[in-house]
Amino acid sequence: MTGAAPEPIAEVREAVKRFPAPEGGVVTALDNISLEVQQGQFATLLGPSGCGKTTLLRTISGFEDLDSGEVRIGGIPVTGVPPYRRPVNTVFQNYALFPHLPVSGNVGYGLEVAGVQRSERDRRVGEALERVGLSGFHRRKPAQLSGGQQQRVALARAIINQPKLLLLDEPLSALDRNLRQSMQLELKSLQHDLGICFLFVTHDQEEALTMSDQVIVLNQGKIEQVGPPEVLYHRPATRFVAEFIGDGALFHGKIQNTDADPVLVTEDGLRIAVGTGPGVGDSATLIIRPEHLSIAPEDPDDSMGVLDAVLEQMVFKGATRQYVCRLANGAAISATPPEASEEAFIRVRPGEPVRLAYRRSKPHLIVETN
């Protein structure tokens, strides 16, 4: 006998939200969206600007009302419940700290409003600041803190009430690259230590892959795909996800068989050997990631596909080198081979022909259903 499935901490059911457009008419920010977020997850809403991710976050927090649909937190409907009565806290992009209050006053503000006694409030403020690495910063004002420190104060203020769900609206976007990468790891570690669900908004796919247990990819008010980062990267369900997450060359065409081996044939006649799975005549999109490619051996075996190209340039990226090539049909394709096979690339000069090889099982095919 198996136990019941865990109750999701947050549910959104058939959510619709529209806004009036400046030029007239309406814009549909959320187009019949349904999703579940589980307790203890670091979940991320990922998508380009205007896809609806911040609107979705604001409907969960209560700062926006849905036109139709329902939001549940901990199994309880909260549609129409004001933000301050929902068991969630939000960390905003600009942190929204009170400039006239010290760090302790900012962090403990919610407890003070709730009438928590001074001794208990001081204890919990101290614990929250210790969790975010700011012990000893009680008396500083926000203007005396760096951007990263201000972000940690906002986090401490958000977690001090022990919410069931913590919502984070692009809180790292104002930080420089090095601090941002450091804070990504710290946020993930903090979420693990607290054991509560974080629902994080970002348009940065690298950030989403680094931090998340589950990624919800949005596009034009709809959900494109939900899954762990590894699944979205290696097995994107739609062309949009394949283009938005990671680097890669995409090829669209129809599946044909040549001596029982499936081949994707593009409209301009490029033939690309693929793995098994799709049927003959299916329309499909193939994505080849840069790490799939290396220089072809003199006698490639049947498990390999080969593409004839011309090397255009080498781009040094520190830990890796990117080799930008041009295929016969004019399409660009890049390779970032492993160090063990890079020596063959180094011997090729820009303008010279190169044969690119890949294991046919590696590139992913997205078969169109319509």
Side-chain angles (χ1 to χ4, degrees):
M1 182 176 178
T2 58
E7 186 82 18
I9 191 64
E11 300 170 84
V12 178
R13 299 179 178 178
E14 299 177 347
V16 175
K17 179 65 180 179
R18 299 183 178 92
F19 294 101
E23 62 275 11
V26 297
V27 174
T28 301
L30 302 178
D31 191 357
N32 199 37
I33 279 182
S34 296
L35 66 87
E36 294 183 354
V37 180
Q38 303 300 322
Q39 175 62 38
Q41 278 189 338
F42 196 119
T44 296
L45 300 173
L46 173 67
S49 297
C51 71
K53 55 188 184 294
T54 293
T55 299
L56 180 56
L57 196 80
R58 289 175 62 85
T59 63
I60 295 172
S61 66
F63 290 108
E64 293 285 356
D65 293 325
L66 291 173
D67 294 325
S68 63
E70 183 182 44
V71 175
R72 289 173 172 254
I73 299 175
I76 300 173
V78 294
T79 304
V81 176
Y84 64 88
R85 294 186 58 193
R86 298 190 183 195
V88 304
N89 270 337
T90 304
V91 178
F92 297 99
Q93 187 173 358
N94 63 358
Y95 312 142
L97 301 179
F98 298 116
H100 63 288
L101 292 180
V103 165
S104 59
N106 271 280
V107 175
Y109 180 78
L111 300 180
E112 184 177 0
V113 171
V116 175
Q117 290 186 352
R118 178 67 178 268
S119 59
E120 173 67 8
R121 190 166 74 239
D122 290 346
R123 183 187 66 80
R124 289 170 63 177
V125 167
E127 288 180 351
L129 289 176
E130 185 176 358
R131 281 183 179 272
V132 298
L134 288 180
S135 295
F137 283 70
H138 295 67
R139 297 181 180 180
R140 294 195 189 184
K141 297 287 184 65
Q144 298 172 306
L145 303 174
S146 67
Q149 290 167 341
Q150 290 181 28
Q151 197 243 25
R152 295 183 198 194
V153 173
L155 278 171
R157 183 178 60 186
I159 66 176
I160 198 168
N161 286 327
Q162 301 172 331
K164 291 184 177 180
L165 178 64
L166 185 62
L167 308 175
L168 303 103
D169 188 7
E170 301 203 56
L172 307 183
S173 60
L175 305 180
D176 62 61
R177 179 178 176 82
N178 288 341
L179 181 56
R180 184 170 183 160
Q181 290 177 338
S182 173
M183 287 303 301
Q184 289 171 9
L185 300 178
E186 290 190 27
L187 267 181
K188 178 62 178 174
S189 177
L190 178 64
Q191 185 271 330
H192 180 269
D193 292 342
L194 292 173
I196 65 174
C197 178
F198 281 22
L199 185 57
F200 187 90
V201 165
T202 185
H203 62 272
D204 186 322
Q205 49 95 2
E206 181 181 344
E207 192 165 85
L209 297 181
T210 299
M211 303 171 70
S212 310
D213 302 312
Q214 194 88 331
V215 180
I216 302 114
V217 182
L218 285 88
N219 180 36
Q220 296 182 340
K222 291 181 177 291
I223 293 177
E224 291 272 341
Q225 188 174 357
V226 179
E230 296 86 352
V231 172
L232 270 61
Y233 183 83
H234 293 295
R235 297 192 296 279
T238 67
R239 183 184 179 102
F240 175 83
V241 176
E243 290 180 316
F244 193 75
I245 294 183
D247 298 322
L250 273 68
F251 303 93
H252 180 75
K254 289 186 178 294
I255 301 298
Q256 296 182 7
N257 272 1
T258 303
D259 297 329
D261 291 327
V263 174
L264 180 80
V265 181
T266 65
E267 291 183 356
D268 53 16
L270 186 67
R271 304 174 70 84
I272 307 172
V274 298
T276 58
V280 174
D282 284 340
S283 293
T285 296
L286 180 73
I287 178 167
I288 301 179
R289 301 287 191 190
E291 64 269 21
H292 294 157
L293 296 166
S294 59
I295 295 288
E298 291 186 6
D299 187 20
D301 60 45
D302 293 340
S303 69
M304 302 186 77
V306 177
L307 295 169
D308 291 317
V310 173
L311 178 64
E312 289 199 335
Q313 61 176 315
M314 186 277 286
V315 180
F316 178 68
K317 292 192 169 184
T320 61
R321 289 182 175 86
Q322 178 182 2
Y323 296 88
V324 183
C325 304
R326 187 73 58 180
L327 300 176
N329 69 342
I333 190 168
S334 293
T336 54
E339 186 177 354
S341 61
E342 193 178 10
E343 185 176 345
F345 263 109
I346 294 175
R347 292 197 295 266
V348 182
R349 297 288 180 264
E352 294 182 351
V354 62
R355 300 186 77 210
L356 303 174
Y358 58 93
R359 294 290 172 187
R360 289 193 290 123
S361 60
K362 290 291 186 181
H364 179 66
L365 267 173
I366 304 165
V367 180
E368 297 178 359
T369 57
N370 53 1

